[in-house]
Amino acid sequence: MRTVDLIRRKRDAEELAPEELQQLIDGYTRGDIPDYQMAAFLMAVFYSGMTDREVSAMTESMMNSGSIVDLSSIPGIKVDKHSTGGVGDKTSLIASPIAAASGVVVPMISGRALGHTGGTLDKLESIPGFRTDLSIDEFRSLLAEHKLAFIGQTEEIAPADGKLYALRDVTATVESIPLIASSIMSKKLAVSLDALVLDVKVGSGAFMKKQVDARRLAQMMVGIGRRLDKRVQALITDMNQPLGYAIGNALEVMEVSQTLQNVGPSDLTRISLELAARMIYLGKITKTLDEARETAQAKLLDGSGYRKLKDVIQAQGGDPRVLDRFELLPNATGAQEITTSRGGYVSGIDAESIGQASAMIGAGRNTKEDTIDPAVGVILEVKVGQKIDPGSILCRIYYTSEEHLEEAAELVEDAFRISQQPVEERDLILEVVS
Ligand code: URA
């Protein structure tokens, strides 16, 4: 069938057959279907959605667009972790070394910044020398040696997702449940995993703004995993304010280092430990989830998670000293303080605006050809619930060019809500779907 007819049928909310979806994914991956037609198809999916059968078929076609990486030669249970995307969300860089230090084999297939959210690969690449473009053989041998290695989609691993991800980012088609589910699951399942822990974010800084949508996304991904015989657990976690204090690639690496040394922000530490515990439990290192929580906590406190990340940075060509000497990371050339004229309690920090502002000054991409500026971003000085006085500093914007600074500063300033009443603490972990 002609591509235009498939687009039209999806636009009209018809269900496409698995072979039709495969035709689209294969044609796009080979370069036979141009970006403009795939962009139209993505927008049709955005509005018309997809049935479970379509999502599974699309995921499998994307997963099979490259080769399936066989890890059976590496002893141990393989468990990966993925987030649906948030602002200041650096949990992968904390949970995965803690899980690996506990004995789980963690083949991390990570993504890049998308929309207003950050990406693990971009954060890692802010470390001088760090290589994420490993060959599959290098990936395997690093996993065998360190139990943890980071790689992105390549020509070999779910290349269809690589192309679609970049196209969605610049065509306003990111926030779609079937597109997110197929994107995440195709690259995760392109590696022979045993289990997967998902962090499905919900709130202003997430792609899912409502808990009911986050639940649907979680169920869809757990279902795709189950159909392919993988154990999958999803946490639904709050993303109504940025996670931790740092937003921006190198700035987040600094916060990762602090958190792995147990002096990080409490929200980031809590979620990272829970994700690590679930990886440890699914990796069958412990018999119960409570024991897994104790193990994760112990590996944080004795510094083995921190040492594991250092070893992996070195093994992937990066300079491990960056975790102790932050001046070795790319540094911004200027900082602008955002202050408040009103006192009271911080009642909200709109994570999406902070993510957009940070992307605007270079931490994210506006077109798929854009390069990331690793040094820039925002550091919050306050979190929701905190009492502040008139004149308090709310955050600092770190920049290397003034080009979009004024616009970004306005967005950041408007992101803060201040109330005269004390604010109730929100739960961070809202639900578990398994
Ligand atoms: N993470 C991904 O890998 N894909 C998405 O679509 C969103 C978040």
Side-chain angles (χ1 to χ4, degrees), residues 82-85 109-112 114 117 153 161 165 168 173-174 176 179-185 187-188 207:
H82 201 81
S83 158
T84 56
I109 315 289
S110 302
R112 296 197 174 276
L114 190 61
T117 68
Q153 307 86 4
D161 179 55
Y165 200 78
R168 284 167 57 213
T173 50
V174 170
S176 149
L179 295 181
I180 295 176
S182 52
S183 160
I184 292 179
M185 297 307 280
K187 59 180 163 271
K188 293 293 161 178
F207 296 129

Side-chain angles (χ1 to χ4, degrees), residues 26 54 100 190 198 205 230 234 283 290 300 361 363 369 414 431 434:
D26 290 352
E54 285 180 301
L198 295 165
K230 313 287 173 193
D290 278 341
L300 173 74
I361 54 169
E369 285 77 28
D414 288 347
E431 266 181 66
S434 59

